[in-house]
Amino acid sequence: MEFAYVRVSTTTQTTDSQISDIQKSYPGIEISTDVCSGTVPATDREQLSRLLDKLRKDDVLVVWWIDRLGRDYHDSETTIRELLNRGVTIKTINQNMTFAYSGNDMQDMTTNIQLTMITAMAAAERKNRLASAEAGRQAIKQDPKLWAEKFSGRKPNMERKAKIIELLEQGLSVREVAMKVGCNPSTVQRAKKTGFLYT
């Protein structure tokens, strides 16, 4: 049987792109989804732990990429090798790779080497992303002006607001004003009601 697994870190993120990519190649496949931090070990994730218990010899597990299957390099590799030893085949959408043990020592050794390299690279990429994000946050905190610019919100477009008010005073409808100014009707309504217009 074929199964798929997807994960996102928070409820503000969406699994849509992962699911869409998987379903293009595997329409109708059963998909398990977790919403949890990537720092949570594989066996502590509600849906993944259930799926790991379900998978049997000759089953296929599809993931967008192998970094979905563990907390870090060691956790991902341990999870993957346990499944391969069980006779499960793992397929990835990103890079279109297949991992399976054949029973041939040399082939399986090559698979293990590939897994070690790929899981290590995935872990390094994740650490680099986190370090880059943290460096950006620290830079913003150390520069009050930059912090204000980033989080103060969008500035009112007073010129456009004046144009909207002028057209409304001429008797044009909200929709007509929106078409002339090149904005959404909701923007016109907001300018009319609150006196604030955002670009």
Side-chain angles (χ1 to χ4, degrees):
M1 295 183 65
E2 294 177 336
F3 303 89
Y5 174 73
V6 300
R7 180 193 66 79
V8 290
S9 298
T10 68
T11 54
T12 60
Q13 297 175 316
T14 175
T15 59
D16 291 352
S17 60
Q18 292 182 57
I19 291 175
S20 175
D21 287 345
I22 289 171
Q23 288 179 333
K24 285 176 185 176
S25 300
Y26 301 89
I29 192 171
E30 180 181 324
I31 300 177
S32 298
T33 303
D34 272 319
V35 179
C36 65
S37 168
T39 61
V40 176
T43 53
D44 290 345
R45 300 176 187 178
E46 182 179 357
Q47 296 304 318
L48 180 55
S49 62
R50 289 181 182 177
L51 183 56
L52 293 177
D53 289 340
K54 182 188 299 186
L55 290 166
R56 297 289 182 266
K57 180 178 172 58
D58 297 326
D59 285 343
V60 174
L61 174 61
V62 181
V63 291
W64 194 85
W65 188 229
I66 57 172
D67 62 356
R68 301 292 88 185
L69 290 174
R71 172 182 61 185
D72 53 23
Y73 157 73
H74 294 292
D75 192 36
S76 297
E77 189 174 22
T78 299
T79 302
I80 293 167
R81 289 197 183 191
E82 180 185 331
L83 289 171
L84 296 182
N85 283 324
R86 203 184 298 174
V88 176
T89 297
I90 298 173
K91 296 189 176 184
T92 72
I93 299 300
N94 181 28
Q95 306 301 325
N96 191 29
M97 299 186 75
T98 298
F99 301 95
Y101 284 159
S102 64
N104 179 290
D105 288 345
M106 291 303 296
Q107 289 181 359
D108 292 349
M109 188 183 300
T110 300
T111 297
N112 285 334
I113 292 171
Q114 283 183 315
L115 280 172
T116 298
M117 292 178 60
I118 291 171
T119 51
M121 288 173 61
E125 288 174 0
R126 179 177 180 275
K127 286 188 176 181
N128 287 338
R129 288 196 303 269
L130 292 174
S132 178
E134 180 58 25
R137 286 191 290 270
Q138 292 302 321
I140 290 174
K141 287 181 179 180
Q142 291 173 13
D143 186 339
K145 182 179 178 182
L146 185 61
W147 179 273
E149 289 177 356
K150 186 169 183 65
F151 295 104
S152 62
R154 292 172 290 181
K155 296 180 180 179
N157 183 336
M158 300 308 294
E159 183 179 341
R160 186 182 289 182
K161 174 193 171 184
K163 183 64 176 177
I164 288 176
I165 298 301
E166 178 186 341
L167 292 173
L168 287 171
E169 288 177 348
Q170 292 175 11
L172 275 69
S173 69
V174 169
R175 188 168 298 278
E176 289 171 333
V177 172
M179 291 180 63
K180 281 187 174 289
V181 176
C183 64
N184 293 323
S186 60
T187 302
V188 177
Q189 290 283 13
R190 188 162 57 246
K192 181 179 179 182
K193 289 181 180 179
T194 69
F196 291 98
L197 176 63
Y198 297 90
T199 55

